[in-house]
Each structure stands twice: as structure tokens, then as C-alpha cells.
Amino acid sequence: AVAAPAIAQSMPTLNWRLASSFPKSLDTIYGAAEVFANRVSAATGGKFQIRVFAGGEIVPAFSVMDAVKDATVEAGHTASYYFFGKDPTFAFDTAVPFGMNAREFNAWFMHGGGDKLLREFFGTYNIMNFPMGNTGAQMGGWFRKEIKSPADLKDLKVRVGGFAGKVLSKLGAVPQQIPGGDVYPSLEKGTIDAAEWIGPYDDEKLGFQKVAQYYYYPGWWEGGANLSLYINHDKWKALPDEYKAIVEAAAAEANVDMLAKYDAKNPDALKRLVANGAKLRPFPKSVMDACYKAALEVYAETSASNATFKNMYEAYSKFRDDQNLWHSVAEGNFDRYMQTRKR
Amino acid sequence: AVAAPAIAQSMPTLNWRLASSFPKSLDTIYGAAEVFANRVSAATGGKFQIRVFAGGEIVPAFSVMDAVKDATVEAGHTASYYFFGKDPTFAFDTAVPFGMNAREFNAWFMHGGGDKLLREFFGTYNIMNFPMGNTGAQMGGWFRKEIKSPADLKDLKVRVGGFAGKVLSKLGAVPQQIPGGDVYPSLEKGTIDAAEWIGPYDDEKLGFQKVAQYYYYPGWWEGGANLSLYINHDKWKALPDEYKAIVEAAAAEANVDMLAKYDAKNPDALKRLVANGAKLRPFPKSVMDACYKAALEVYAETSASNATFKNMYEAYSKFRDDQNLWHSVAEGNFDRYMQTRKR
């Protein structure tokens, strides 16, 4: 089949820099950018090289979005909800409280109009975006004491950022912004009472169960945290069509690959954590309901002052509600049966 | 960024034929092959063309695997469980009763060793395989009468194939193999009592609710039906590395895209079906439990006579059990809360 005559063709040699917000120790998240870059290189015979830098190497972790906007780097890989302070609308590209799970986010982005809405938004920052990795539903984090009712959240110092922090504040909690490396000593000293991180595979590396043994679920503020590839829009437009096609396919591949990697690695990590003292606890329904009610208040307040947010929230929540309706039927029923049957 | 000097390069012009087992009317499944082919063309500047043929156009729907093996066509897109009769091991690449859901299958294939096991198996047929589309958990199908206990399955003539048919036989049902186009008249005349198809979006096109109004869930025999891209192994090996990389990325993209499309389209179709008379019913737990027990018997019997099947089943079911353990925690709890909260 390779008998057809060879055709001479010219494609440019490109060397891009991609700034990740993540440390190499988060190998699953950081690794998604490398999966992507390796695929682009292989698909172009090494002519389109994308070098991945860990958070802080060439761009501070929380400056990645600006660096892409300003073309300091051609591309970035980050969680847009880090930029919640600039505009809360950024959060929809990662996760919002009681939002979509990983599969629903992909459906919204690829076939539910999410791509159009998000790209209009990122376009105002001169950025093009592609979903590129998802953690799945995260854990609710590590707590020094049990949470038995919404009252137990009052005055609780919780390491949690952005949108979730605003919701928890409504219930009297005191959100803390603490860099990853400082979380363990803060929990150990009791400077904070609780800390959310990601899920078993990443949490295990930090040994939280030694200083805060109650391991709560679910992380209702990230039922599926999407990380995106962000590309400076001028750099994107200048790419040949072939490279654009390769970038889009490689990002989609890295997207499904990252979730698959987390799913494959989390079960054993969870077993080890429990064996080493972690006490698994679901948030009581009263706590979930109080947080849900508080989230609706934050959505309403934010919508009242931000038309872009309001527009995105309405489309997002309508799609999410339809997904939950459908997934409560075949998918939810099947999953529930499989999860609860005797083993 | 496109200032680097152009490099002359030669890549072959290729024209491949891809035989799908599906009709164009199943636009979501059939469409996955077109999404893939279009992406490969775009990524290669049109030099690698893959023409997609619907089931029966150049290869009969149920001969696709042989056509790929024998290089009658370079590639195919089908559900390997159609070839259950050749060897039941084929079923693992699509779906098996009480098996993995879509997300779990991807995790197994990409990071759980499923790729190695499945490729060893398909290698014996001179075929290379890539996951390329998933339906998600399917519906249990359309029944003319309610199913209230396992006894109601006795003597029931059900249009259902392969593995599921063997399981249902153990409960006294009589599986029927009927081509898609004949299902509606067979149900109308009462020649059969029930028929499984796919899910709301596809089922709606055939109007089943007019002749069998009880719409059961879940389809426990396909908690996530994976369709794969199958490539003749000699043709695969002869591809330049760049084309191999592009094929793999494009197949992964089509994989996530197809599930996203089903998820986006199913909710509205479900609402219309119910508005038009479909009566949604979950299979009672007693029926699920009886089917589960019967499935275990079929697994044990098949394992006793087929070492390849036994080996694959043991790896598959161990991975599935670990996935269900982990997904019963953050993911299942989050999904359940979202699916049952008041709207």
C-alpha cells in the first residue's frame, strides 16, 4: 500500500514552549502535556517540537494564562479556575461546584455548544483552548475532625481555593490559600483543620493520613476537573492546517489518556491509604445539601454582577441537568449495580 | 513562529478503504469512522485518504473482521462481539455482561494492560486494534410486557445476540437473531416479545414505543459498548511512523467524540420517547441478580474450555472490580447526588 509515488512537501520546523502550572511530581497531570507534545512530535517526524516546562521553571504556576495571552510562551497547560479572581467565568473550563463530571464536560464541549461559549470567552484573552486531561471526581480532602453536620464547617480553616472557598465561606468556613508543599506542615501544626488536594494517587504521595485521618468524599466542587491546553491565538492561527489538525487530535488523545491513567492508578492507592490509617467518610447529606444551597447563592450573586458568567452558567447548568437526567437511567443504574454487588 | 526554514519531506500518498459494519442511519456509530478518516486526511494534507463504506457496501456487516484479516480492506470499524461465534474472547473488545463501563474500558486499555492482552489476541488474526467509539451504557430494550421477576423471562423471545443471548437462555428466554430492519415488524406481529437495540437516540428512529412500550434499563450486557478500529497488521506495519502516530491520535479523538455525541443527543431523545408513550422501567433487582448469576455460570463454562478466554476474563474482571471499588467512592457518590437532587 506504500507503493504510491512520494510527493515532496514542505512543512515548517517549529519549536514551541509549553508552560505547565504543575510540578513533575503530579506525573499524571504534568504528564498529559508530555503525552501531547510527544504525539505532536511523532506525527510531524520531529519537525513540530513542543518543550514542556513544569510550573515555575519559566513561568510561575499562576501566571501561565497571562504568559500565553502575551505570547511569552506559545502554549500553556493549566486549570483555568486558578484565574477565578480575574473573572469567575474562567472556572467553567475546569470545574464549578456541583458541576459536570468528566464525561459530561466532554459532551458539553464537543457536542453541546460548550466549545463555542468557552472559545468566545478565551478569545477575548487572545487564547485558543482545547480540553486536555481530567482528574475525574476528586476527593473532598483530609479533615482532622469528623464533619457530622453543616455546623461542623463553622470556623473550619480549610485549604481550598476559588469558587469552592466562596461557597464554604457562606457556611462559616475560613478558606486558606496555601501552596501544595506547605499543606502537610500546616495540617500537622493545626494551622489548618482540613485540606483538599486531588485523589488517592496524588494524595498518597504527601502522606496526609498521618496528620488528618478523615478522608472525605466527594469533592463536590470538582466532580470532574478539566485541564486545558491553551495556545496563544496568533500562534494558533499561523499554524499550517496539518499542524492544527495534529494538535487538536493529540490534545483529545491526551484528554482521554489522563483520565484513564488516574482511573488505573487510584484504586490501589486508595487501598493503601485505608490500610495505612485513612478513614473514608462520605459527606453527610445534610452537609451536601447545605453546600449545594450555598453554591446556588454564589451562582446567583455572581450572575447578577457578571453577564458573561450568567450566560455561561445558564447554558452549562441546563446541559448538566439534561445529562444528569439521562445518566440517572441506564448509566447510573448500571454503575450502581456494579458498584454495590457482592464481590 | 513559522519563520523557521521549510524542510523538504516525502510522505507517501495512500488510499485506504475502511469497511464499517454499520449503516449510515446510525450516524453516531458510523460517523466515528468518518471523524477518524477526516482527521487523518486533514493531518496529512490529504495525502492519506481513508474512504469509509457503510455495512454491506463493499463488505457484509458481519464479515468485516475477516475482510481486515485477509486485507480485502485495509481497515474496518465494527463491534468485535459480533464474532463471538468464532471465539467468545472477541467479546472483551466490545462489551461483556456485567463488564466495564466506557470510562473503565478506556482505563483498562490505555493504562491497565488491556491493550497488551487484546493486541496479542487480535495479532493471531493479523489485526491491529484501537478503541474508536463507545455507546455508553445501553438500554435494556423494548418489551411488550412488564418483567417483574426472573420467571417472566421464561420462554420470552428476545432479539439479542451473542453473549447476552447465552446468559438469557439460562433463564429460559429464547434469543433471536434478527437484522435491524426486521425488528419493528417482528415486534408488531408478536413474532418476538422484546428487542434490544442501543439507546434513546438510535431507538427513537425506529419507533419501537409504538409496538413495545416498556423501555427497560440498564442493558447489563453492554454497560459500555466499545467499537474498535481494526487494521490489517501488514498494512499497519508498512505505515510511516508519522502516519502511525496520526492514526493512533485520530482514533483516540474519535473514541471520545462518539461517546460525547451520544451523551449530547440521548437526553432529548429520551424525553421525546417518554412523551410519545414509552414507559421507562428498571429491571427489578431480582432479575438483575438472576442474570448476574447466570452470567457467572457462562463465564465459568467458557473459561473451562477456552484458555485464552479464561486468561482475558481473569485480568478483565480483576481490573473491573478495582474500578468499581474506586468509582463507588468519589465518582459514584458525586454522580448519585447530582442525579437525584431536586431540579
Side-chain angles (χ1 to χ4, degrees), chain A residues 142 199-205 209 215 262-276 278, chain B residues 322 325-326:
Chain A
W142 300 87
Y201 177 65
D202 291 321
D203 293 11
E204 185 188 25
K205 297 170 196 163
Q209 80 281 358
Y215 195 22
Y262 264 123
D263 282 342
K265 289 182 175 295
N266 273 324
D268 283 348
L270 181 67
K271 290 179 198 171
R272 286 189 300 266
L273 283 168
V274 170
N276 288 322
Chain B
D322 277 350
L325 171 71
W326 161 232

Side-chain angles (χ1 to χ4, degrees), chain A residues 324-340:
Chain A
N324 280 313
L325 171 71
W326 161 231
H327 286 149
S328 71
V329 182
E331 195 75 39
N333 197 281
F334 179 76
D335 289 348
R336 207 145 41 244
Y337 187 80
M338 294 304 292
Q339 288 166 15
T340 55

Side-chain angles (χ1 to χ4, degrees), chain A residues 98 149-156 164-175 220 286-295 297-298:
Chain A
F98 301 98
S149 78
D152 291 332
L153 292 173
K154 192 155 166 39
D155 300 327
L156 205 76
K166 282 194 94 161
V167 174
L168 285 168
S169 293
K170 289 211 171 264
L171 298 164
V174 187
W220 45 261
S286 63
V287 171
M288 292 291 283
D289 287 345
C291 292
Y292 181 67
K293 184 169 168 287
E297 289 169 22
V298 176

Side-chain angles (χ1 to χ4, degrees), chain B residues 1-45:
Chain B
V2 194
I7 293 180
Q9 186 216 26
S10 308
M11 294 297 285
T13 297
L14 292 180
N15 285 287
W16 276 20
R17 300 192 304 171
L18 186 158
S20 170
S21 284
F22 308 103
K24 289 183 183 172
S25 57
L26 292 179
D27 58 301
T28 305
I29 304 187
Y30 173 82
E34 291 206 319
V35 165
F36 163 74
N38 289 340
R39 179 60 80 200
V40 171
S41 175
T44 61

